[in-house]
Amino acid sequence: MFILILIASIISLINAAAIVSRSQSYPSSQPAVLGPKTKLTIGNNVIAPDGFERSATLVDGVFPGPLIAAQKGDDFAIEVVNELQDESMFMSTSVHWHGLYQNGTNYADGASSVTQCPIAQNHSLLHTFSAPNQAGTYWYHSHYSVQYCDGLRGPLVIYDPHDPLAHMYDIDDASTVVTLSDWYHTVATVLRYVIGHTASSSLINGLGRYDGGPMSALAVITVEQGKRYRMRLISMSCDPNFQFSIDGHNLTVIEADGELTEPLVVDQLQIFAGQRYSVVLAADKPVDNYWIRNLPNTANASYEGGTNSAILRYKGAPEVEPATVNTTPENPLAETNLHALINPGAPGIPEYGKADINLNLEVSVVDGIFYVNNVTFKPPTVPVLLQILSGAQEPSQLLPNGSVIVLEANKVVELTLSTTGLGVPHPMHLHGHSFDVVQSAGNSTLNYMNPVRRDVVSTGVPGQQVVIRWVTDNSGPWFLHCHIDWHLEAGLAVVMAESPSDTRAHLDHAPDAWDQLCPTFDSLTPSQLGGGGLKSYEEAANISTLLYPPPPSPSVTS
């Protein structure tokens, strides 16, 4: 009997060790935290975040990229250094600081073809900017073609030492930043030719599993019973939206996209590509392990084998995978229940169509190509900002023709966005601003009194509409685009050019290195550009017969 018990104990220890080896604590698995004055080295490295090895485009060799942490009022000076070498992926780059207004520093926004040319291989650009009145949860990512789908994405948080909601939580640090992302086993330079593909897996804090794959490491977020945690959720998705929940726990939403909200208790929230939420998690349940669930809106998605999952582990709990059960949410987040905490209320006359500028944009799709008011966005060879600084002022002078909307300064804009045909919800992101969501998709009520304020909003399903308002107080060209990166690549974007005649005077002096980006990029050979050229298209043809048109030459520089 003793021998049988001993054998059973050994087997139990082996199983426990195997499970422990497949989970990884956070933040020990994460890269070091960077400050607001730092350097990001963009390069290639082979990683296996879900157990499948592939070369990726990374910041400092890791996924997700390191957390950039600042205090409210800090000035930023971030040097982006391009050391990319893998020719199967793009070898030029740019980095956008998602959610930061860049008021007076439009040239530092990082949007290729809108505010700059890409940074060529073996070159760098120092981004200097401030965010004087902003605090909250943001992120950074490549804004060159579909490059961020290959891994160039990371969190950025501006902490407020005088946060009016600080009394609601005890812990708010690198360990409570939670990144949610999709992941692909095929490089994005191939997948961008395939109409309608699906991510290979979902990752939480850079770890996950895929269907049929190994029992690779899952992220573990450790909490102490009795403490309250500000979890900063960041969707770095290239495509799917996620349904996020933690078994047995409620979440109190206190921030959406860098804007504080009135506290709202939910037990599940849908988060779209580019969106962020701060939620307060009270660790008030029995000491144990609980599943963190992050289900994408992809066909046949499940939690089988620990896919789309991570682990919430109370201190003192055994280092094993959870046995908690998924339950139907009773109180899921509805965007219309979110209300801005600070200075609530949309600008302008509180009546539909009574803004200074009233815009209607309709999104349609034909054979995988997206159109906004019947025009598909094709990146101009000369960035819109450079066109403006060179003297172009009128819509007829600005390229791409039909995709640049000129807005007068200091006006209230009301934008109604709708979609037709078939398709998924489009998370629309406006650079340079937050906006008030006067009407959320799927809701018939317009709320001008206290709507949520944010910078990414879902258009809902075809046939629905969303209405947003903002004030044109930030001269310069600002991208408005779908944050499903494949859709942006397929034309779902326009540029809002705010008061072009004021832009030169409004901007701080752009650095000399910014002036040199276009001449350097324009002189690159196809092999220096990377991206695989026709070979990528041929690989795409091996994956699917539903393809976008082939590249016009051995290289594509979209």
Side-chain angles (χ1 to χ4, degrees):
M1 177 64 73
F2 173 76
I3 293 173
L4 289 174
I5 292 172
L6 181 63
I7 291 170
S9 298
I10 292 170
I11 291 171
S12 177
L13 285 169
I14 290 170
N15 287 339
I19 291 172
V20 170
S21 72
R22 295 196 297 266
S23 63
Q24 211 163 321
S25 290
Y26 181 78
S28 62
S29 64
Q30 295 298 299
V33 177
L34 304 176
K37 293 178 169 60
T38 190
K39 179 173 76 171
L40 303 181
T41 302
I42 315 301
N44 301 116
N45 195 22
V46 174
I47 58 171
D50 60 2
F52 181 93
E53 282 197 349
R54 58 153 290 187
S55 178
T57 297
L58 305 172
V59 179
D60 297 347
V62 293
F63 183 84
L67 168 65
I68 298 174
Q71 297 293 313
K72 188 175 182 180
D74 281 352
D75 292 326
F76 290 81
I78 305 174
E79 185 181 14
V80 175
V81 180
N82 182 353
E83 295 184 0
L84 293 167
Q85 296 182 351
D86 189 331
E87 292 186 15
S88 72
M89 293 175 282
F90 292 117
M91 294 198 297
S92 297
T93 193
S94 74
V95 178
H96 169 57
W97 322 98
H98 183 120
L100 300 186
Y101 300 152
Q102 300 292 351
N103 200 314
T105 50
N106 177 272
Y107 53 79
D109 192 47
S112 293
S113 83
V114 178
T115 64
Q116 69 171 78
C117 282
I119 305 166
Q121 181 190 37
N122 299 322
H123 287 75
S124 65
L125 180 66
L126 178 65
H127 300 72
T128 55
F129 55 89
S130 60
N133 299 310
Q134 292 190 263
T137 309
Y138 308 95
W139 62 301
Y140 60 90
H141 59 85
S142 169
H143 220 304
Y144 175 49
S145 186
V146 291
Q147 188 176 56
Y148 93 73
C149 305
D150 279 326
L152 203 174
R153 23 185 169 165
L156 189 157
V157 174
I158 301 177
Y159 294 94
D160 184 357
H162 306 293
D163 179 13
L165 296 180
H167 63 280
M168 295 187 63
Y169 53 87
D170 307 303
I171 311 293
D172 177 24
D173 57 23
S175 73
T176 63
V177 174
V178 182
T179 63
L180 312 172
S181 60
D182 48 354
W183 192 248
Y184 300 84
H185 294 169
T186 303
V187 293
T189 44
V190 171
L191 291 179
R192 70 186 185 130
Y193 293 119
V194 179
I195 300 174
H197 52 78
T198 301
S200 304
S201 62
S202 298
L203 309 180
I204 301 176
N205 287 340
L207 296 171
R209 295 174 184 163
Y210 64 96
D211 288 336
M215 298 290 279
S216 58
L218 296 178
V220 177
I221 299 174
T222 303
V223 296
E224 185 177 338
Q225 192 180 46
K227 296 286 180 69
R228 301 165 303 167
Y229 295 81
R230 179 174 179 165
M231 299 290 188
R232 295 177 181 265
L233 310 179
I234 305 173
S235 175
M236 300 179 173
S237 173
C238 270
D239 189 344
N241 62 72
F242 300 113
Q243 297 284 0
F244 181 90
S245 62
I246 301 178
D247 285 1
H249 292 74
N250 283 328
L251 306 168
T252 303
V253 180
I254 61 170
E255 177 212 352
D257 298 357
E259 299 281 351
L260 293 177
T261 67
E262 294 179 5
L264 178 68
V265 178
V266 301
D267 59 2
Q268 183 188 68
L269 57 83
Q270 185 177 28
I271 183 167
F272 291 86
Q275 289 185 331
R276 295 87 65 209
Y277 287 107
S278 279
V279 297
V280 176
L281 170 81
D284 56 4
K285 297 297 182 284
V287 172
D288 204 347
N289 295 285
Y290 299 85
W291 282 119
I292 299 171
R293 302 181 186 274
N294 190 49
L295 193 70
N297 66 317
T298 50
N300 304 315
S302 73
Y303 304 111
E304 287 296 315
T307 56
N308 305 308
S309 303
I311 300 168
L312 181 75
R313 176 166 295 150
Y314 279 64
K315 288 182 180 176
E319 295 188 355
V320 297
E321 294 193 351
T324 55
V325 178
N326 186 35
T327 57
T328 302
E330 297 179 358
N331 192 22
L333 172 66
E335 187 176 62
T336 48
N337 290 335
L338 288 174
H339 304 292
L341 181 71
I342 309 296
N343 299 322
I349 298 170
E351 189 176 338
Y352 184 71
K354 296 290 188 177
D356 300 320
I357 302 170
N358 300 280
L359 301 174
N360 283 276
L361 298 180
E362 184 178 86
V363 175
S364 56
V365 59
V366 179
D367 297 331
I369 303 292
F370 288 92
Y371 299 83
V372 180
N373 287 1
N374 300 314
V375 179
T376 188
F377 183 84
K378 295 182 178 178
T381 54
V382 177
V384 181
L385 176 58
L386 196 56
Q387 296 175 47
I388 291 171
L389 295 179
S390 301
Q393 308 288 328
E394 303 299 325
S396 60
Q397 300 172 315
L398 291 164
L399 300 174
N401 189 32
S403 291
V404 181
I405 298 169
V406 173
L407 304 173
E408 290 182 62
N410 301 309
K411 301 293 185 183
V412 175
V413 179
E414 182 169 271
L415 170 62
T416 301
L417 271 165
S418 59
T419 59
T420 62
L422 302 173
V424 296
H426 299 289
M428 298 299 292
H429 171 49
L430 176 62
H431 292 217
H433 294 276
S434 293
F435 46 74
D436 287 278
V437 184
V438 171
Q439 181 182 6
S440 293
N443 192 282
S444 59
T445 305
L446 284 87
N447 176 10
Y448 290 94
M449 300 305 293
N450 60 352
V452 68
R453 193 172 292 137
R454 63 185 325 156
D455 61 46
V456 179
V457 69
S458 166
T459 61
V461 298
Q464 297 177 343
Q465 70 175 27
V466 62
V467 179
I468 63 175
R469 276 193 180 188
W470 76 94
V471 176
T472 56
D473 56 4
N474 191 2
S475 181
W478 302 108
F479 227 175
L480 172 68
H481 64 88
C482 180
H483 224 292
I484 295 175
D485 222 25
W486 316 109
H487 293 180
L488 170 56
E489 180 80 353
L492 213 178
V494 295
V495 175
M496 298 290 177
E498 292 186 25
S499 54
S501 59
D502 301 330
T503 299
R504 181 177 291 278
H506 184 69
L507 291 187
D508 297 338
H509 179 68
D512 291 340
W514 180 87
D515 288 325
Q516 295 304 311
L517 290 174
C518 288
T520 303
F521 179 76
D522 291 342
S523 69
L524 296 177
T525 65
S527 63
Q528 290 172 319
L529 287 166
L534 285 172
K535 182 181 177 184
S536 290
Y537 191 82
E538 290 163 1
E539 288 184 36
N542 291 329
I543 296 172
S544 173
T545 56
L546 289 174
L547 299 177
Y548 291 108
S553 67
S555 179
V556 178
T557 60
S558 68

